[in-house]
Structures are given as structure tokens and as C-alpha cells.
Amino acid sequence: MSACPNAATATVDTAAESADPCCAAPLPVLGRDVTVPLVTGGEVTYAALDYAASAPALQRVWDDVAAYAPYYGSVHRGAGYLSQLSTDLFENSRATVAEFLDCRPGDQVVFTRSTTDSLNLLAATIPADCEVFVFETEHHASLLPWRDARVTYLNAPRTPAQAVETLERALAERDPYGPALVCVTGASNVTGELWPVTELAAAAHAHGARIVLDAAQLAPHHPVSVQELDVDWVAFSGHKLYAPFGSGVLAGRADWLQDSEPYLAGGGASRKVARRADGGVDVEWHTTAARHEAGSPNVIGVYSIASACKALTEAGFDSLVARERHLIAKVREGLAEVPEVRVLSLFGDDAPRVGVISFVVEGWNSSHFAAALSAEYGIGVRDGLFCAHPLVRTLLGSDPQDPGECGAPEAAPGERSLNAIRVSFGAGTPDEHVERFVGAVKELVRDGAQWKYRTEDGRCVPDRG
């Protein structure tokens, strides 16, 4: 059965691409022509430079979803044509994601709501005596789900080698020497720096531990191979992979998933439910990925992830990575020309990274600076602690008790605040957006903001009074 009659088959338009991969055209994304008003007057094309929070939908993904939408139906048990077609599309999407991640035979691909949901699911499956090891540098999605486990939090390393050494030492010294799980990011959502995943996986396995990779910031920028990295599980979100339709993925080894109680109890997770003679209920649960997918699944969200996986694969990660390095160099070189700007880094300037860069500006409240970029230049960045509070506090050299929180600065415009500014970009970012950003940073530092700003509900906004 065809997965979707008349489904969109749009591919990347390569007519404008250069033979030089770093000069390849950006992939078409939804909203690329949206204009926004400036507080100083007029309008400008919006420069979306907050990809690390949520990336815009690829046009290819939107077209595929729109083509499928009239054929939407419930999955797995419907006898009607649309239900059967949707079931076929849903399960084919699972196979597409498994191929995109280069999963091992026997691995399961479970569809969730997000990376956070995926890691909370895994946290619910770990053995009762399992100890979890996680660096303080992690996003809260990786740092916080392990509430029912013994957790060892590792200090921020300053080199990739130190990360491996720190983990090896902690695993070797664990007492009791029982089951263990390591949770680590592939690319930092604050600094963009790549972590030594292969080496960390080898260290984990050498000490009888398993490892889960938070690939939320890695998968949109670099190929992720479960087999080459030798990780046990990988988690990522659709909304960072150019498929912002409310789905995520947990993929990897089946045993812990099969041996645990279902993440949610309900229809779809159960194979058989029967009343007992004593009046109770007996339940036989699925042993497949369906065990943890109770309820009606987000078919459109799942299909959008599969569409994005195909689009990125067809575009070619070699070309995507080369173009992104070109953009990273433009931003870093531009910021380096402004003495008042300090770029945040764990591993140093030469560390490989994805298109995520955080910085602070001397004499500026970071929320004030971000607000001015938006209101006066039409540039969307992010300010705050980026749901990685311990890491940002470490990078800023602050005391753990200093005031400040994610997205809600304590300081007034113009005062120092415990937060930072993050610019992030990816496959859909044109050169003009990063060039405008660099130019705006230079102008704001040199000339100051053109408008007055005030704090309202924890956010810095233009004062229109």
C-alpha cells in the first residue's frame, strides 16, 4: 500500500548551489519570507537565529505533511482504507528513523513527545539498583529525569580528554559496582561544542555501564550512527530537526524497555486485557515499541520526523556540515572583532562545534541586548540560562546562589545579569541573517540601543509609553 497517495516529493532545489559545498544554498524552510515590524519604523525579513530552541519546518516537511493530511486516519486497528494507509505510513516512518540513526538489528524506535519525554521514559525503565552518571553541563532534559535513581553529577570538564577521564574514574569508583547508565549530550545547547561520544561510550562499556546520547542538538547538524558511536540509546526531538509537530524519538536496546512497566498504561500498549475470577484485571503488554506508545499516536508528528530525516539525508550531511562551518566562522570572526563580547566555551576556541554560540557583552544586560536585536533589527535570538543553569553559571564564573533564572533576568536594562545571549542557526540559514546579526552586534556595542526598554513580566521589552 502506498504510504500516501499524491504525497509531496519535493527535493532540495540545487540550481542555486555552488560546487563549493560551503557556498551551497540553504535548505528552504517555512517562514523564510516573513517580515516583522521594527520599533524604529518599517519592516524587515525576520532573521530566525534561535534554531537551538526550535528550528523552522523544512518546506519539504511541510509539503509532505500537507499532502498526507487529507488521508489522516487512526492507526493499527482501523479496517478502513485511511486507517490502513496511516498505519503503513506510521510504521514506515519508524523504519526511516531507524535507518537515519543506523540502528542495530533488534533495536527499538519508540515515538515520544520530545527529547525530555524520551529521557523520562528511559528513566522509568532503568533497573532498580542502577546508578546514573551525568555531567553538570547537560540540558535539564538530561540532568533532571533520574528522580528515582541514585545519581552522580560530574563536574564540568575543560577538555574532551578530561571528560573521558572524569567518567572513567567515577565509574571505576562506584560502590556498589552494579548496573550503571551514563547520559551525555552530543553537542552542547549552550556552547555548540561536540562531545567525545565514541570515547565516552567506550569508557562506559569498559566499566559495565550503558550510555544514552542526547542528540537533540547533534542530529540536526551531523549524522548520528548508533553503531559507529556505539551508544545504547539515542534521544532527539522533531522540533529541533526541522519537524516541529510535537514528536520525539527514543531509539536503542530493547531489553530494558521490554522488562519495564509501560511508560503509560492504556490502549495500544496492551495486547490482551481480561477479567479475573476474583474481579480484578489481567493485562498482557506488548513487547514491541508499542509497549511505551499508549494512546492514539501523533501520526503527523511522526511522519514529519521521517520526512525531515529523508530530506537531510538527501541533501547530504557533508554539504550541510561544510555550509554550517562557513556560517560559524562568519559569526565567530565577527564577534572576535568586538572586544566587549566574550564567547562562552568549555573546550576552547579550536573545539569542533555546531551552529550554537553563546556570549555576553560587557556593560549589557543580556536580555536588553537580545530585545534590541529583535526590536531594532528583526533578529530572533535567545537570552537566559538556556535550561542548562549549572553549565551557564559555571561558564559565567558565578556563585551557585547568585540570582538569575532562565529567561527572566533579575537586573534592569544596562545592568549586569546572570544570563547570556545565544545565537543558533542551521540548514535553513542564509548568509544575510548571520551578516545582519554581526553588524547589529557591532552597532549596538558602538552606538547603544536606539530605543528605551523596560522589564515587563520578567522580559525586557521596548518602552512604548
Side-chain angles (χ1 to χ4, degrees), residues 13-336:
D13 181 5
T14 58
E17 292 185 3
S18 162
D20 184 349
C22 77
C23 298
L27 300 186
V29 294
L30 212 61
R32 58 190 178 275
D33 298 323
V34 168
T35 60
V36 295
L38 301 180
V39 70
T40 50
E43 293 188 341
V44 67
T45 302
Y46 184 63
L49 295 177
D50 195 15
Y51 275 46
S54 279
L58 286 174
Q59 186 68 51
R60 156 75 174 272
V61 171
W62 179 258
D63 290 345
D64 282 351
V65 166
Y68 162 65
Y71 300 91
Y72 171 80
S74 61
V75 300
H76 291 145
R77 291 167 299 283
Y81 178 79
L82 297 191
S83 291
Q84 294 180 51
L85 185 149
S86 294
T87 298
D88 183 49
L89 179 142
F90 185 79
E91 295 303 333
N92 283 343
S93 295
R94 199 188 306 276
T96 296
V97 172
E99 182 179 3
F100 179 75
L101 295 174
D102 189 27
C103 288
R104 298 166 291 254
D107 280 350
Q108 289 188 349
V109 173
V110 182
F111 290 117
T112 65
R113 295 175 297 175
S114 60
T115 305
T116 301
D117 197 34
S118 295
L119 293 172
N120 274 271
L121 188 166
L122 185 63
T125 73
I126 63 177
D129 56 346
C130 183
E131 184 173 1
V132 177
F133 294 81
V134 57
F135 286 93
E136 68 172 356
T137 49
E138 293 294 315
H139 186 281
H140 294 170
S142 301
L143 197 69
L144 302 181
W146 322 103
R147 290 172 291 181
D148 297 326
R150 291 186 299 119
V151 184
T152 295
Y153 296 103
L154 307 174
N155 291 336
R158 286 299 181 169
T159 66
Q162 189 180 63
V164 178
E165 292 166 3
T166 298
L167 179 63
E168 287 183 325
R169 184 167 54 253
L171 289 172
E173 294 175 354
R174 72 186 189 272
D175 184 21
Y177 196 89
L181 176 68
V182 177
C183 182
V184 68
T185 188
S188 171
N189 78 301
V190 176
T191 68
E193 292 162 317
L194 299 179
W195 277 62
V197 177
T198 303
E199 293 83 355
L200 290 168
H205 294 151
H207 291 278
R210 294 190 177 189
I211 185 169
V212 56
L213 170 65
D214 174 356
Q217 299 294 343
L218 183 64
H221 304 274
H222 285 260
V224 175
S225 169
V226 169
Q227 296 193 65
E228 289 184 10
L229 295 173
D230 197 22
V231 293
D232 298 284
W233 294 277
V234 61
F236 70 88
S237 296
H239 73 98
K240 298 187 194 301
L241 196 80
Y242 311 100
F245 294 91
S247 282
V249 168
L250 176 67
R253 300 198 183 279
D255 52 354
W256 284 9
L257 299 175
Q258 292 173 339
D259 293 342
S260 65
E261 290 296 306
Y263 184 46
L264 297 174
S270 56
R271 292 185 60 189
K272 180 180 178 181
V273 180
R275 290 292 300 275
R276 297 194 302 264
D278 64 3
V281 172
D282 284 327
V283 183
E284 180 183 343
W285 302 105
H286 279 292
T287 57
T288 63
R291 183 183 189 88
H292 298 290
E293 294 176 343
S296 295
N298 180 359
V299 181
I300 287 179
V302 166
Y303 181 45
S304 71
I305 288 180
S307 174
C309 291
K310 289 181 178 179
L312 293 174
T313 300
E314 290 169 8
F317 271 106
D318 286 347
S319 175
L320 296 176
V321 169
R323 172 170 173 74
E324 186 169 298
R325 286 174 179 161
H326 161 73
L327 296 177
I328 292 170
K330 278 198 171 198
V331 173
R332 288 181 61 83
E333 289 168 7
L335 294 179

